[in-house]
Amino acid sequence: MKNNLVRASAFRANKSTTQRYEAAVTPFVKVLYQTEQFDLANEYNPHISTFIPTENGIYEITAKASFCPSKSKKDNSSKHKEDHYKCDYCKKDHCKCDYCKKDHCKCDYYKKRKSSKDKKKHSSKEEYVASISINVNGDVLDIENGFFDKSRTIGLSVTTILQLQAGDRVEVIFSAGANGEILAGAPLTNFQAVRFPSPM
């Protein structure tokens, strides 16, 4: 008896170059996975970072993206402005004297310094939203998102099982509320899929 075997389908691709992300310019970007690790049925196109199955079936799809938000630039010009304030106490001790500590100093330098400290107390962490989604023919079919601290690199991943038709276009879309970079490297940013044996 002759078995009707369907060719195995599985691929994995990794990101080989860092991808700049600017939230205000392009809120939703396709993640580029430029390097194929393997592709059993020649269904992944690294030039357009798209998986196009050649057979109908049930597929497990996983995508991961690591993102490093940009650090905000601090204004160092204030260091050169300290001597322009007219308060004698501030000129001498830069608001560290007993007089200033008691909040009697009303000069602009001390007001700004105090205001800055209060802001830090109330907003020690700056958060933003980020998401990664698996899109099929332009539609979001699964998504993972969350709130993250701007001071650290994050890793987002999404895994789903979908019924795909031959010729469907599967892509990975990233979005964030902060500027930064989608990081390169096989363990950090990758895209993969495998077809399950099924009568589909």
Side-chain angles (χ1 to χ4, degrees):
M1 223 177 138
K2 195 172 181 181
N3 292 327
N4 293 323
L5 297 177
V6 178
R7 186 178 182 183
S9 171
F11 86 93
R12 176 181 166 108
N14 306 315
K15 187 164 190 56
S16 56
T17 59
T18 299
Q19 185 175 347
R20 179 69 185 161
Y21 176 82
E22 294 186 27
V25 177
T26 313
F28 298 91
V29 299
K30 180 198 287 192
V31 183
L32 305 179
Y33 302 90
Q34 303 97 334
T35 303
E36 283 184 338
Q37 191 169 333
F38 60 84
D39 185 4
L40 301 185
N42 195 30
E43 297 168 299
Y44 179 74
N45 187 333
H47 302 293
I48 56 174
S49 297
T50 303
F51 170 56
I52 305 174
T54 56
E55 299 283 346
N56 299 347
I58 305 299
Y59 292 79
E60 180 179 280
I61 305 165
T62 299
K64 181 178 180 181
S66 294
F67 179 69
C68 180
S70 301
K71 293 181 180 179
S72 58
K73 294 180 180 179
K74 295 182 180 179
D75 182 10
N76 295 321
S77 58
S78 60
K79 293 179 181 179
H80 305 290
K81 294 180 180 178
E82 292 178 357
D83 295 333
H84 296 293
Y85 297 105
K86 295 180 180 179
C87 172
D88 289 336
Y89 295 98
C90 294
K91 282 182 183 177
K92 292 176 182 176
D93 296 314
H94 301 292
C95 286
K96 294 179 182 178
C97 65
D98 290 337
Y99 186 88
C100 294
K101 286 178 183 177
K102 292 178 181 177
D103 284 353
H104 293 299
C105 181
K106 303 298 180 183
C107 72
D108 289 337
Y109 180 86
Y110 185 66
K111 283 180 186 176
K112 288 180 181 178
R113 186 170 178 271
K114 188 172 184 298
S115 173
S116 176
K117 282 186 176 180
D118 291 341
K119 284 180 182 177
K120 286 181 181 178
K121 287 179 182 177
H122 292 94
S123 60
S124 57
K125 286 187 178 180
E126 201 174 351
E127 293 187 332
Y128 67 100
V129 178
S131 70
I132 185 173
S133 66
I134 293 173
N135 289 26
V136 178
N137 302 325
D139 297 324
V140 177
L141 293 193
D142 212 330
I143 189 169
E144 185 68 29
N145 54 37
F147 286 90
F148 302 96
D149 183 355
K150 278 188 177 180
S151 66
R152 62 184 64 187
T153 298
I154 64 168
L156 278 171
S157 64
V158 58
T159 299
T160 190
I161 296 176
L162 298 175
Q163 181 179 341
L164 299 177
Q165 303 298 315
D168 282 345
R169 299 172 66 87
V170 184
E171 301 165 313
V172 180
I173 304 299
F174 175 83
S175 179
N179 296 333
E181 293 180 336
I182 303 172
L183 303 178
L188 299 176
T189 305
N190 51 66
F191 181 24
Q192 52 226 300
V194 61
R195 185 178 64 235
F196 290 119
S198 73
M200 303 297 295

